[in-house]
Amino acid sequence: RPMSFNFFRAPVDNDTMRWDWYRAHLNDYKVKSYGTAVNKTEDGIEILLRQSFGWSMYQPFAYMDVCYRITGGKLTIQCELEATNKLTFLPRFGIRLFVPKRFDRMEYFGYGPHESYIDKHQASYMGNFSARISDMHEDYIMPQENSSHYNCKRMSFTDGEIKVGFRSKDGFSFNASEYTQEELAAK
């Protein structure tokens, strides 16, 4: 699948607001584009988009201005999100990637080695970690969002030959799973 923005995660046991997420269609939204501009810069190109996210005939839950910069083999994404009154709580905002199963190894610098979230990272410590994606899953009794890693400065996944990486000086959280958020939410 193509790379896409993601506003949803499989609800966890104590997500009492989960039905608001479904009513706003954070799990199955449509993207509408209002125009694209491509500019050549001195060291690459820049693609500018204005988009909305919502469900067919309803008011979008968000509008976003996005800038993709491609320079020297690197992709930088900068965006500004404007939420509408349909969005009272945003469970996630990020990028969703689907990669071939052969990309089964992760390396990251952040909180680990076990899952870590902003509200439970004290059970982890900051460091360099590596793991197989299949080993990162937490098998909770009720299938739900799991295996996030909080405050990462960098992360990469590889098939042993090709390596794809992400960096942020401000830190980010990531989740790598053999299961989709749709599968976990449905179970």
Side-chain angles (χ1 to χ4, degrees):
R1 295 186 200 177
M3 178 179 76
S4 63
F5 287 103
N6 190 22
F7 302 92
F8 183 75
R9 63 174 166 76
V12 298
D13 291 340
N14 61 355
D15 281 336
T16 57
M17 72 297 286
R18 75 181 71 184
W19 302 116
D20 293 337
W21 305 349
Y22 289 107
R23 275 191 291 280
H25 293 280
L26 300 181
N27 61 314
D28 65 350
Y29 61 87
K30 304 290 184 209
V31 180
K32 183 176 179 183
S33 293
Y34 297 95
T36 304
V38 179
N39 302 317
K40 186 173 181 172
T41 64
E42 58 182 64
D43 56 350
I45 63 167
E46 178 176 88
I47 303 166
L48 305 166
L49 298 166
R50 170 84 171 158
Q51 297 179 311
S52 69
F53 304 87
W55 201 59
S56 38
M57 64 199 161
Y58 298 110
Q59 171 192 10
F61 61 81
Y63 294 90
M64 189 163 41
D65 293 307
V66 187
C67 178
Y68 298 96
R69 285 188 188 88
I70 304 166
T71 56
K74 292 182 182 179
L75 171 64
T76 303
I77 303 170
Q78 182 178 355
C79 53
E80 193 170 307
L81 181 79
E82 176 189 338
T84 68
N85 62 356
K86 289 189 74 155
L87 198 56
T88 56
F89 178 82
L90 186 60
R92 166 169 288 153
F93 176 66
I95 295 171
R96 191 172 188 196
L97 299 169
F98 290 85
V99 297
K101 290 185 186 247
R102 70 178 188 270
F103 287 89
D104 63 347
R105 289 174 293 246
M106 303 287 314
E107 291 180 356
Y108 61 96
F109 178 76
Y111 279 92
H114 307 292
E115 68 176 5
S116 59
Y117 291 83
I118 192 169
D119 62 342
K120 80 177 221 188
H121 67 276
Q122 289 84 359
S124 301
Y125 59 94
M126 183 69 85
N128 284 304
F129 300 98
S130 62
R132 291 202 171 277
I133 291 175
S134 59
D135 295 334
M136 295 174 79
H137 179 76
E138 297 288 338
D139 203 14
Y140 291 112
I141 293 170
M142 173 78 78
Q144 58 187 301
E145 158 71 20
N146 69 84
S147 74
S148 179
H149 291 279
Y150 170 70
N151 199 23
C152 292
K153 306 303 182 191
R154 66 180 179 276
M155 97 39 141
S156 63
F157 53 89
T158 183
D159 67 354
E161 292 180 32
I162 300 170
K163 186 176 188 179
V164 178
F166 297 86
R167 294 179 178 273
S168 173
K169 63 181 179 200
D170 298 327
F172 60 93
S173 292
F174 80 90
N175 167 307
S177 178
E178 295 181 305
Y179 305 100
T180 67
Q181 62 193 25
E182 292 85 3
E183 288 175 301
L184 292 171
K187 302 289 183 203

